[in-house]
Amino acid sequence: MTTPTVSPIDLDTLLRELSGLDVITDTAQLAKLSLDYYHFSPVLQPLLSEKRGDVVVRPTSEAEVLRVAEVCVRQRVPLTVRGAGTGNYGQCIPLQGGVILDLTRMQTIKWIKPGMTRVEAGVKLAALDRQARETGWEIRMAPSTYRTSTVGGFIGGGSGGIGSVTYGQLRDRGNILACRVVTMEDQPRIIELRGDDVYKVAHAYGTNGIITELEIPLGPAYAWAETIVAFPEFMTAARFGQALSNSDGIIKKLVCICADPIPTYFAALRNSIPANAHCALVLVAECCLEPFAELVKSFGGTLCYQKSAQDASKGVTLVEYSWNHTTLHARSVDPSLTYLQTLFPPADTNLSLMEHMYHHFGDEVMMHLEFLRVNGQAVPAALQIVRFTTPDRLQAIIHYHEEQGALIFNPHTYILEDGGMKMVDVEQLRFKQQVDPYGLLNPGKMRAWLEQH
């Protein structure tokens, strides 16, 4: 294998070879386009705050992407791909400078067919959803940042979101159909990955290929009503979430449970949620509102907020209070707060481990649940809001969860394998060895590569 080499950057030569492209060298813009929401983590803040690219290139076509790849390989310049930069782990922050490849100008929706669509990587999820709904279909899942997030960024750095309670996660077979990738070989190529091969580049932070186009499935479009249900006890709210997620006859898109005091951070919703309440934020199909109301009644919940799909399309949307937007709202009130990502064991159907954690940590680790399907079963994932004191204390909280059998997806590391499944993805490593022999793509993020070099 070729030894990876990163040369000192000759900026004048680099800019000359990139002439004719949309290139940004303005210091303020470079700073903005070099960073993401890494500041959610007090651990990542000091590690990443000063990292910057040397130049941003915004291609408008795959041909321009190929040209940038050729230049970077020839000059051994690192290249970091980004979409809208709404990730939270420093996925698209360049550790070694070089070129930031901003794909947000590649916004062509190639086609929409029944149940599927093909798009360029820079298409915004909200724009795609809007166009798909005109044909009776919609995107299956999206992060809470869907208004600004790109399809390529979501596939490259995301895992699931609103819709995962029905469709599972991006890593589930069938949720990504194809990826078109530009390589970083001596002579860059275009490769089309289909079937299981898409997972060579999905959730790889752009470390092993530049995704230029994607084919993804669509789901039937529903009129989604937005509701908030209040409960006096947290575990009642949690068990309601589990029951709703398991109710196959009730069509839903979001089941988000927030323990008190989290709802107090939701400024625009404060007048709708009773004091000291634990609440469920739910997107449910309007055609299912009657059985949904019966389920609420059976758990003794109070329906304190409801918007029709038509009204929900204007102004405040509950989507932007769920998933990591929950953390965003909490941090807007108290910037010292941070968060964790936890998957509770699917076998723990009575939620006893979650209940233990809720009581064990109290307000230090505020419980926020998002239900999703894992291997055909509804399971609560937690994005707990943590009152941060020291890195050691944060590590102790993580260790306690893992010791008790909860799986932590650590949001306080920018290393690909350390944040998620805690194991090397051999296929992703092999693909990188094949298509990025000089290790120029987003260097420093893939532990498996670093350990081999």
Side-chain angles (χ1 to χ4, degrees):
M1 190 195 318
T2 312
T3 304
T5 310
V6 174
S7 303
I9 293 167
D10 180 346
L11 194 56
D12 289 339
T13 304
L14 180 63
L15 290 172
R16 192 163 54 248
E17 294 205 18
L18 294 173
S19 66
L21 299 174
D22 182 1
V23 173
I24 297 171
T25 55
D26 173 73
T27 307
Q29 281 289 91
L30 273 178
K32 180 184 173 188
L33 294 171
S34 292
L35 301 174
D36 63 10
Y37 281 74
Y38 74 98
H39 49 77
F40 275 27
S41 165
V43 176
L44 293 179
Q45 281 177 28
L47 300 177
L48 298 176
S49 62
E50 301 303 317
K51 301 297 181 186
R52 300 288 185 272
D54 293 282
V55 60
V56 174
V57 185
R58 298 194 301 174
T60 59
S61 67
E62 191 173 71
E64 291 188 352
V65 172
L66 272 166
R67 187 179 156 200
V68 176
E70 285 171 7
V71 170
C72 287
V73 172
R74 188 161 56 246
Q75 293 197 34
R76 303 291 190 267
V77 171
L79 184 151
T80 304
V81 188
R82 72 176 270 131
T86 58
N88 305 114
Y89 324 120
Q91 297 109 309
C92 63
I93 296 179
L95 300 181
Q96 298 179 22
V99 169
I100 304 279
L101 192 69
D102 179 342
L103 296 182
T104 55
R105 293 187 67 195
M106 294 180 62
Q107 297 179 0
T108 304
I109 296 174
K110 298 280 184 173
W111 47 257
I112 296 174
K113 298 175 183 175
M116 60 201 304
T117 182
R118 189 171 181 102
V119 299
E120 287 186 328
V123 168
K124 287 185 178 177
L125 288 159
L128 174 59
D129 203 36
R130 212 160 34 241
Q131 201 162 320
R133 288 184 71 87
E134 291 171 8
T135 71
W137 296 86
E138 64 181 20
I139 54 178
R140 285 188 177 181
M141 65 186 78
S144 58
T145 52
Y146 79 107
R147 285 184 194 265
T148 51
S149 293
T150 63
V151 181
F154 185 41
I155 302 299
S159 56
I162 297 95
S164 286
V165 67
T166 299
Y167 293 107
Q169 295 178 283
L170 287 173
R171 66 168 160 260
D172 291 319
R173 186 181 278 138
N175 280 332
I176 308 168
L177 303 176
C179 296
R180 191 169 160 97
V181 177
V182 168
T183 72
M184 289 281 281
E185 301 159 281
D186 285 311
Q187 188 55 56
R189 294 178 293 150
I190 297 165
I191 298 175
E192 177 96 3
L193 301 174
R194 302 195 69 89
D196 286 355
D197 283 346
V198 299
Y199 297 103
K200 291 175 180 177
V201 294
H203 199 71
Y205 297 6
T207 56
N208 59 2
I210 303 166
I211 299 173
T212 56
E213 280 186 24
L214 300 116
E215 218 169 278
I216 58 171
L218 300 171
Y222 287 93
W224 297 109
E226 294 190 347
T227 66
I228 300 178
V229 186
F231 297 90
E233 300 293 333
F234 169 71
M235 285 310 298
T236 309
R239 294 199 166 95
F240 168 79
Q242 184 80 65
L244 174 58
S245 301
N246 283 331
S247 296
D248 292 337
I250 300 177
I251 299 162
K252 59 268 172 189
K253 195 171 188 176
L254 174 72
V255 181
C256 165
I257 309 298
C258 295
D260 181 59
I262 293 173
T264 64
Y265 297 125
F266 301 161
L269 301 173
R270 272 189 205 132
N271 293 336
S272 301
I273 303 172
N276 307 315
H278 310 270
C279 69
L281 278 56
V282 177
L283 263 63
V284 60
E286 285 187 344
C287 57
C288 296
L289 280 170
E290 191 174 357
F292 172 73
E294 292 295 322
L295 184 67
V296 170
K297 186 175 161 188
S298 72
F299 275 83
T302 303
L303 192 62
C304 58
Y305 177 102
Q306 185 170 317
K307 271 189 174 183
S308 67
Q310 189 173 356
D311 290 341
S313 65
K314 305 170 213 141
V316 175
T317 167
L318 292 191
V319 162
E320 291 175 339
Y321 288 85
S322 69
W323 290 82
N324 236 347
H325 258 73
T326 310
T327 314
L328 181 72
H329 287 287
R331 281 178 46 78
S332 70
V333 175
D334 182 354
S336 71
L337 297 173
T338 187
Y339 75 116
L340 283 178
Q341 298 178 140
T342 308
L343 188 66
F344 290 104
D348 185 22
T349 51
N350 64 357
L351 308 183
S352 57
L353 180 57
M354 180 206 302
E355 185 169 13
H356 168 74
M357 294 297 181
Y358 171 69
H359 291 297
H360 180 79
F361 288 107
D363 267 8
E364 185 184 15
V365 182
M366 295 170 261
M367 199 61 83
H368 161 210
L369 308 175
E370 297 288 350
F371 281 87
L372 64 157
R373 289 189 81 72
V374 177
N375 297 323
Q377 181 182 344
V379 175
L383 284 85
Q384 304 102 309
I385 295 173
V386 180
R387 297 189 192 278
F388 179 77
T389 49
T390 67
D392 285 347
R393 176 56 184 161
L394 182 61
Q395 192 52 50
I397 292 168
I398 291 171
H399 181 67
Y400 187 82
H401 277 80
E402 291 176 333
E403 218 175 32
Q404 300 298 316
L407 179 62
I408 295 280
F409 295 83
N410 187 2
H412 303 285
T413 175
Y414 55 74
I415 300 293
L416 177 61
E417 299 92 336
D418 296 352
M421 301 305 290
K422 310 292 194 301
M423 64 181 74
V424 169
D425 187 318
V426 176
E427 286 303 309
Q428 288 189 346
L429 175 61
R430 283 184 186 145
F431 192 66
K432 184 173 178 69
Q433 290 166 341
Q434 174 193 340
V435 303
D436 181 26
Y438 301 105
L440 298 173
L441 282 168
N442 205 0
K445 304 288 176 65
M446 184 185 277
R447 179 163 51 84
W449 176 272
L450 296 170
E451 286 173 354
Q452 289 202 357
H453 299 83

